[in-house]
Amino acid sequence: MAIPRPLVLCVAVVLCILVLGGGHHHKDKIKDAVSKRRGVITTARRSRFKRVVSFGDSLSDAGNGAWLFTNKTWPKDGAYVGHRFTNGPVFTEYVAQTLRVPLISYATGGASISYRVSSRSGEHGMMPVDCIFEQIKKYSEGKTDESDTLFILYAGANDAYFALDEGGTPAEVVDDLKTAVKNLQKIGGQYIIIPTLPPIGENYPYANALPEAAPLMYFFSTELRKQYMEWAKKETKVAIADFYNLFNRLMGTPEKYGFKREYLKVGCIAHNCKDDWREFIWFDDYHPTTYVHSLMAEESLDALDKVLRPSHRVW
C-alpha cells in the first residue's frame, strides 16, 4: 500500500527537526566542553603563576631596558611608545596581562644571549648593555624558589645580526640557551617559554636596504628553530612558542589577519603609523606592531597550555 504523500512530508519534516535539533544540541555540547576546557586551562595558568619574568632583547624590551642603559637617549622617537621598540605593549606584557600577574622585565634592546658576540644598543649601536646571561644573573641573586614564576626567554636575533661581522653559529646560541635554562632551574624555575625567532632576513623590511645580509640571517633563524625543536623534546616544562611559524602564516596570508600585502616589507613608521597602522605587520625595519605582539602572546600562551596540560588539545 502506498504511503500518502502528506504523511511522507510530515515524517520528513519531523526527522529534519530531530536531526537539526540534535545537531544544534551536539554543537552546544561541544561548545560547552570547549569553553569549560579553556576555563580550566585559564584557571591553571592563573593559579600556577604569581609573576612573569622576561629576559631578552628589543622584541621583548618593555620600555625599561635600552632606554635606561642609554641614559634615556634610545629609542628617542616619540612613535616608540613608552620607549619600547614598537607602538604599544610588547608580547611579554600581553602575556602578563592575560595571566593577571605583574611583569618583571630585564629585556634590553641590543642584548645577545651571552658575550660571545657584542651586546650593545643606542642610536649608533655602540653603548654596551647586559647580555641575557647577565640579566638572569641579576634577577637570580638571593632567590631559591621560583617555582611560581613563569619565565620568558627570547634570544638569538642579535646573535644572528652581530654574527655577520663577529662570527657565531646557531649551535652556540642553543648551547648558551641550555645554560640559561639550567641557571633558571637552579633557582627553582620550572616553566619557561622560549620563542623561536621569526624567519628573519628576507621577510624583514630592512632586507630591502641590506639584501646581502638576508640569506645568512634567514639561515640562522631557520637552523636555530630546528635545533630548538629538537632540544625541547627533552625538556618537558619548556614551552617553545613558534614565532617562526606564526610569521610565516602572517606573511603568507596577510589578508586573513587584516594586513595589506603591499605593506609586507615596510614599517608603519614610514607612514607615521597613522590610522592605518593596523594594516601593517611591521612597526619599523626590525620590529612588529603591537597588534602582532598580541598575536605573539597568543602563540606563547598556546605553547604554555600544551606544557601545563599535555593530554588536552587547546581549541
Side-chain angles (χ1 to χ4, degrees), residues 53-93:
V53 177
S54 168
F55 308 106
D57 56 27
S58 57
L59 204 71
S60 47
D61 188 330
N64 62 332
W67 180 247
L68 298 182
F69 269 97
T70 61
N71 298 316
K72 300 182 179 180
T73 62
W74 186 256
K76 62 183 179 180
D77 191 323
Y80 289 73
V81 174
H83 314 301
R84 303 172 183 87
F85 290 83
T86 187
N87 58 328
V90 296
F91 78 96
T92 54
E93 293 177 272

Side-chain angles (χ1 to χ4, degrees), residues 130-142:
D130 283 348
C131 71
I132 293 168
F133 273 10
E134 192 66 24
Q135 295 172 19
I136 293 174
K137 180 181 178 182
K138 286 184 175 179
Y139 177 76
S140 300
E141 290 178 0

Side-chain angles (χ1 to χ4, degrees), residues 2-222:
I3 300 175
R5 189 175 183 83
L7 181 58
V8 172
L9 290 174
C10 181
V11 171
V13 169
V14 170
L15 287 173
C16 284
I17 291 172
L18 288 173
V19 170
L20 291 175
H24 285 304
H25 181 63
H26 181 61
K27 289 180 181 178
D28 287 342
K29 289 179 72 175
I30 292 176
K31 186 176 180 181
D32 290 343
V34 170
S35 297
K36 185 176 181 180
R37 184 174 299 168
R38 279 179 172 165
V40 168
I41 291 172
T42 301
T43 301
R45 289 174 180 168
R46 291 175 180 165
S47 62
R48 187 72 183 78
F49 305 111
K50 292 184 178 178
R51 69 195 67 81
V52 173
V53 177
S54 168
F55 308 106
D57 56 27
S58 57
L59 204 71
S60 47
D61 188 330
N64 62 332
W67 180 247
L68 298 182
F69 269 97
T70 61
N71 298 316
K72 300 182 179 180
T73 62
W74 186 256
K76 62 183 179 180
D77 191 323
Y80 289 73
V81 174
H83 314 301
R84 303 172 183 87
F85 290 83
T86 187
N87 58 328
V90 296
F91 78 96
T92 54
E93 293 177 272
Y94 285 120
V95 168
Q97 288 172 15
T98 301
L99 298 181
R100 299 179 185 174
V101 297
L103 170 69
I104 301 171
S105 178
Y106 282 75
T108 302
S112 56
I113 189 167
S114 70
Y115 289 125
R116 289 180 190 266
V117 297
S118 296
S119 201
R120 45 192 166 89
S121 190
E123 184 174 5
H124 303 292
M126 298 305 293
M127 301 186 75
V129 299
D130 283 348
C131 71
I132 293 168
F133 273 10
E134 192 66 24
Q135 295 172 19
I136 293 174
K137 180 181 178 182
K138 286 184 175 179
Y139 177 76
S140 300
E141 290 178 0
K143 295 181 174 64
T144 57
D145 183 9
E146 290 293 299
S147 58
D148 55 3
T149 298
L150 173 62
F151 291 103
I152 302 178
L153 176 53
Y154 179 83
N158 288 313
D159 296 85
Y161 184 76
F162 291 129
L164 296 172
D165 296 322
E166 302 176 24
T169 66
E172 289 174 337
V173 173
V174 174
D175 285 343
D176 285 341
L177 189 73
K178 292 177 181 178
T179 300
V181 168
K182 288 179 181 177
N183 288 340
L184 292 174
Q185 290 171 340
K186 286 178 182 177
I187 60 171
Q190 294 187 20
Y191 292 95
I192 305 169
I193 295 175
I194 299 177
T196 64
L197 299 183
I200 55 179
E202 58 187 22
N203 291 331
Y204 271 44
Y206 84 84
N208 297 326
L210 296 171
E212 69 281 0
L216 179 58
M217 297 286 282
Y218 183 74
F219 164 78
F220 203 104
S221 57
T222 302

Side-chain angles (χ1 to χ4, degrees), residues 79-80 85-87 267-270 273 281-285 287-289:
Y80 289 73
F85 290 83
T86 187
N87 58 328
C268 76
I269 197 168
C273 292
I281 291 176
W282 302 104
F283 169 69
D284 62 13
D285 285 353
H287 308 97
T289 66

